[in-house]
Amino acid sequence: VSPEQVILSHSPLRLFSHFHQKCMLVDGQGPVEENALNLGFKHVVTIEALRKAYPLLDMVDQSRRPKELPPPATGFPTIEGVILFGEPVRWETSLQLIIDVLLSNGNPEAELQNIPYPHLPILACNMDLLWMAEAKMPRFGHGTFLLCLETIYKKVTGRELKYEALIGKPSTVTYCYAEYLIKQQAEKQGWKAPIRRLYAVGDNPMSDVYGANLYNSYLNCESILVCTGVYRHNADVPSKMKGCTPETVFHGHRDFCFDPSLVEASNIVQDVNDAVQLVFKKENWS
């Protein structure tokens, strides 16, 4: 598979060129600084670099508190926006420092005056509340971290946290970017006929299916749900959950209103292989 055929949750950030020259605070695991630079961002600050510049900000873990008063930071840039790639390791550090940046308008050492609102722009990738790993029950995803950040910000300021963009499923930005790449692939193959239908295969009704159905209003996009991940048949749902209305257990992000029809897959199959065979059959390729 070539790189242009793979879309990660943060890939559509390439399209946000109006932020590429701004100083952006980046958060998440792995090479987030390298990822941001590869996406076109020129000036990047990590949470760790911010913490090192202002060691008095991170006070939850007593073992990491400075033993003596550090000298004031000099020459540290003003932060102009925030990119949230995925869930961090030290949630308390990221939550504290991101809130500091938002409340201080990018100058976290400054004394708190009037709280700026609207706050600095936030670009957030990957909104899954839960994801399926080796454990019997789903694990916290970046959507859970975003929920914490949103709740803290509102509790502290009384205002809603706003996103410049939410990227990754079920955002239509991701499906639009996928369609853009698919069209590029078609052009490279010399295919002249326009793409009339997309198939989106996934295991999470609240992200994969929801996003595909949401994008269906732009282009014929058919959702295929597989049973090898987060999704399980009703027989696997605990009896106490069966009596709940869908709204009470909606796992989607706050900014995506719940619509029961959007989490209903066009097709349900056992695994990805069955999904591919279904597409072949529907398109008369078999």
Side-chain angles (χ1 to χ4, degrees):
V1 178
S2 59
E4 63 269 21
Q5 290 177 288
V6 178
I7 300 179
L8 303 175
S9 61
H10 57 253
S11 298
L13 285 172
R14 296 181 187 279
L15 304 177
F16 290 78
S17 56
H18 50 295
F19 289 107
H20 287 177
Q21 299 298 330
K22 295 182 180 295
C23 181
M24 304 295 287
L25 176 67
V26 295
D27 190 32
Q29 295 184 46
V32 289
E33 183 175 12
E34 179 182 344
N35 289 341
L37 294 174
N38 289 337
L39 290 166
F41 294 90
K42 307 299 183 184
H43 309 287
V44 175
V45 173
T46 64
I47 288 286
E48 190 54 37
L50 180 63
R51 180 184 171 276
K52 186 176 181 181
Y54 303 112
L56 294 179
L57 297 181
D58 188 16
M59 301 296 283
V60 173
D61 187 343
Q62 296 187 21
S63 67
R64 302 216 302 172
R65 293 181 182 180
K67 301 299 186 288
E68 55 187 40
L69 193 64
T74 56
F76 198 82
T78 298
I79 293 167
E80 300 173 278
V82 181
I83 303 174
L84 306 177
F85 279 106
E87 61 269 26
V89 175
R90 287 183 169 269
W91 286 32
E92 79 284 358
T93 297
S94 290
L95 289 169
Q96 178 69 78
L97 270 60
I98 292 169
I99 292 292
D100 288 338
V101 165
L102 297 179
L103 296 185
S104 66
N105 214 27
N107 295 282
E109 199 176 41
E111 291 187 17
L112 183 63
Q113 301 292 334
N114 294 327
I115 296 174
Y117 197 83
H119 52 68
L120 293 175
I122 301 175
L123 304 169
C125 310
N126 188 358
M127 293 163 278
D128 284 0
L129 186 77
L130 304 169
W131 64 287
M132 202 66 198
E134 290 76 16
K136 299 297 183 183
M137 292 185 290
R139 303 293 84 196
F140 291 161
H142 192 215
T144 306
F145 177 81
L146 296 179
L147 178 63
C148 294
L149 182 66
E150 294 155 10
T151 304
I152 293 170
Y153 185 84
K154 185 169 185 180
K155 192 72 173 179
V156 170
T157 68
R159 296 175 179 266
E160 294 285 353
L161 186 81
K162 302 290 185 182
Y163 295 95
E164 185 75 18
L166 286 166
I167 302 164
K169 298 173 294 186
S171 170
T172 54
V173 173
T174 292
Y175 292 82
C176 181
Y177 186 68
E179 182 191 349
Y180 166 73
L181 293 184
I182 289 170
K183 285 181 177 178
Q184 283 189 329
Q185 291 290 311
E187 289 176 4
K188 287 182 180 180
Q189 297 295 328
W191 298 342
K192 302 299 183 182
I195 296 172
R196 302 188 186 281
R197 179 164 46 250
L198 296 178
Y199 290 91
V201 181
D203 67 0
N204 191 330
M206 297 297 180
S207 60
D208 303 321
V209 173
Y210 189 112
N213 289 339
L214 197 62
Y215 199 64
N216 189 47
S217 61
Y218 298 89
L219 181 74
N220 190 356
C221 185
E222 192 162 331
S223 54
I224 304 177
L225 182 63
V226 297
C227 306
T228 49
V230 171
Y231 175 75
R232 293 290 186 271
H233 286 298
N234 288 337
D236 295 328
V237 178
S239 57
K240 290 184 179 179
M241 292 285 284
K242 289 180 180 177
C244 297
T245 60
E247 290 86 346
T248 62
V249 291
F250 177 50
H251 289 174
H253 187 268
R254 175 201 69 184
D255 292 354
F256 291 83
C257 59
F258 181 75
D259 180 346
S261 66
L262 292 178
V263 296
E264 293 180 5
S266 304
N267 310 273
I268 300 177
V269 297
Q270 183 56 39
D271 53 31
V272 172
N273 181 64
D274 287 350
V276 172
Q277 297 304 318
L278 176 64
V279 172
F280 283 3
K281 182 178 180 180
K282 283 179 172 287
E283 297 295 328
N284 294 318
W285 292 343
S286 54

